[in-house]
Amino acid sequence: AQELRDLLQRAVERGVSPSDLISLGRRYQRDDWVASGIFARQYGQVSALREAAAYDPAELISAAVALLRSEPLVLQAVRAQHAFVVVDEYQDTDPAQEELLALVAGARDLLVVGDPDQSIYGFRGADLGGIRRFPDRFTAPDGAPAKVLALHVCRRSGTELLAASRRIASRLGGIGEHRKLTPASGLAAGGVEVHVLGSSGAEANYVTTRLREAHLIGGVPWSRMAVLVRGASSLPVLRRALQAGGVPVSVRADEQALVDVPIVRARLRVLEIATDRLDLAGADGPDLALDLVTGPLGGADPLARQSRHHGSHH
């Protein structure tokens, strides 16, 4: 479901209609594209029956573009409200957002800030070509390419962190004038560690150990610690390791898809086992069984058991 949703949103951002997607699928013998196009058409028909209009994020941008193109008075009013347009993180924009910016900015003063080396949202449709073609797409009033100014003072990282990032940046392709950075004065040097671990379980145990050391030996409050996770698939293993190590765990609900909420995930796993879609005898069986036993359904979480034990005495 997530892959289908991503495909349809990328199609919307690039102006590919359901019919276009079906045609592309037939041309390149991609049955999955054909099926996705048929689904998108049906989804649009069902959505049209709703009392109030509802849009996915990608559809919202496309709808705004369509409105501004079809209603000159609305476009004129929007431009009048924005005499100076500033866009941050431009390397993470997609073609639909680029088109919206072209409409809103018009001939007005426009400033965008971005770094092509920091484009990390390609998985959700970001197009790195946007920042690279910006000077030619958004020209100066006289038709000349827009002026590009590279900032050379880094105010985010000290000498050690900056040197490490420059070693990586030197291996990237493209023009590198913006990569010539020197640290601002007064910044801590910082430090970099790289650890290669054999499995997600070993990684989770390592993270747990470092957090416990920081708290118990370094005196760092739990509230001052955070673990950044790329991809929700590793969350269950990490959560289990942290809880087993006595590290408080809190994941913001609005940062999780519904299918990744622990109680929902646990119920889905139970249903998959009951319908023979998952086999506890398989290679992942022990980890799956442990997740279920120690999760919200099994209730064998040591911290939760301790809370219930104390509660019974009250």
Side-chain angles (χ1 to χ4, degrees):
Q2 182 63 45
E3 291 175 355
L4 176 61
R5 181 174 181 270
D6 288 343
L7 172 62
L8 297 185
Q9 291 206 47
R10 301 297 82 79
V12 169
E13 290 164 356
R14 283 149 178 79
V16 178
S17 69
S19 297
D20 294 335
L21 189 55
I22 294 172
S23 298
L24 288 169
R26 289 172 177 163
R27 182 188 309 169
Y28 294 103
Q29 297 182 341
R30 289 293 300 265
D31 293 339
D32 52 338
W33 292 2
V34 174
S36 299
I38 295 172
F39 173 83
R41 180 185 292 163
Q42 295 172 342
Y43 176 77
Q45 292 169 347
V46 172
S47 300
L49 297 176
R50 286 186 264 190
E51 292 184 4
Y55 299 96
D56 289 329
E59 292 175 331
L60 189 61
I61 300 295
S62 297
V65 169
L67 175 64
L68 295 179
R69 286 196 178 283
S70 62
E71 299 289 345
L73 292 180
V74 175
L75 177 59
Q76 182 180 351
V78 170
R79 286 181 172 178
Q81 295 172 349
H82 302 86
F84 182 37
V85 180
V86 181
V87 183
D88 195 14
E89 305 290 2
Y90 195 75
Q91 74 277 358
D92 292 323
T93 55
D94 58 55
Q97 293 170 334
E98 184 181 19
E99 187 175 2
L100 178 62
L101 178 62
L103 285 168
V104 172
R108 277 147 183 75
D109 290 333
L110 172 62
L111 169 66
V112 306
V113 182
D115 182 352
D117 295 344
Q118 296 187 38
S119 181
I120 60 172
Y121 290 108
F123 67 93
R124 71 178 189 192
D127 179 11
L128 185 57
I131 192 170
R132 289 175 174 167
R133 61 177 169 261
F134 176 84
D136 299 316
R137 175 74 189 272
F138 297 89
T139 57
D142 61 358
K147 183 178 180 180
V148 177
L149 176 65
L151 305 179
H152 295 295
V153 178
C154 177
R155 307 181 187 280
R156 174 181 294 176
S157 308
T159 53
E160 290 297 322
L161 285 174
L162 186 60
S165 69
R166 294 309 88 192
R167 286 195 293 271
I168 296 174
S170 66
R171 298 183 175 95
L172 300 176
I175 301 173
E177 182 64 26
H178 60 284
R179 297 171 184 156
K180 301 175 182 178
L181 296 177
T182 56
S185 59
L187 295 176
V192 178
E193 295 182 14
V194 177
H195 299 269
V196 180
L197 303 165
S199 67
S200 57
E203 181 183 61
N205 290 332
Y206 174 79
V207 171
T208 300
T209 300
R210 294 300 298 267
L211 293 180
R212 284 175 56 83
E213 289 176 350
H215 179 68
L216 299 175
I217 300 176
V220 180
W222 295 123
S223 60
R224 298 287 296 172
M225 301 182 191
V227 180
L228 304 183
V229 179
R230 179 69 177 270
S233 60
S234 60
L235 272 178
V237 176
L238 181 60
R239 185 195 299 269
R240 185 172 69 241
L242 292 173
Q243 290 175 336
V247 179
V249 180
S250 175
V251 180
R252 285 180 52 176
D254 59 354
E255 294 183 355
Q256 290 181 286
L258 181 61
V259 71
D260 294 321
V261 175
I263 185 65
V264 176
R265 178 183 289 272
R267 290 184 181 276
L268 290 175
R269 294 296 174 268
V270 169
L271 290 173
E272 287 173 330
I273 293 171
T275 56
D276 295 327
R277 295 180 61 190
L278 281 179
D279 184 6
L280 287 176
D284 297 328
D287 286 339
L288 176 59
L290 186 58
D291 279 341
L292 292 175
V293 171
T294 60
L297 290 182
D301 182 320
L303 296 178
R305 285 204 316 273
Q306 187 176 11
S307 299
R308 288 196 295 270
H309 175 72
H310 289 312
S312 64
H313 289 289
H314 294 301

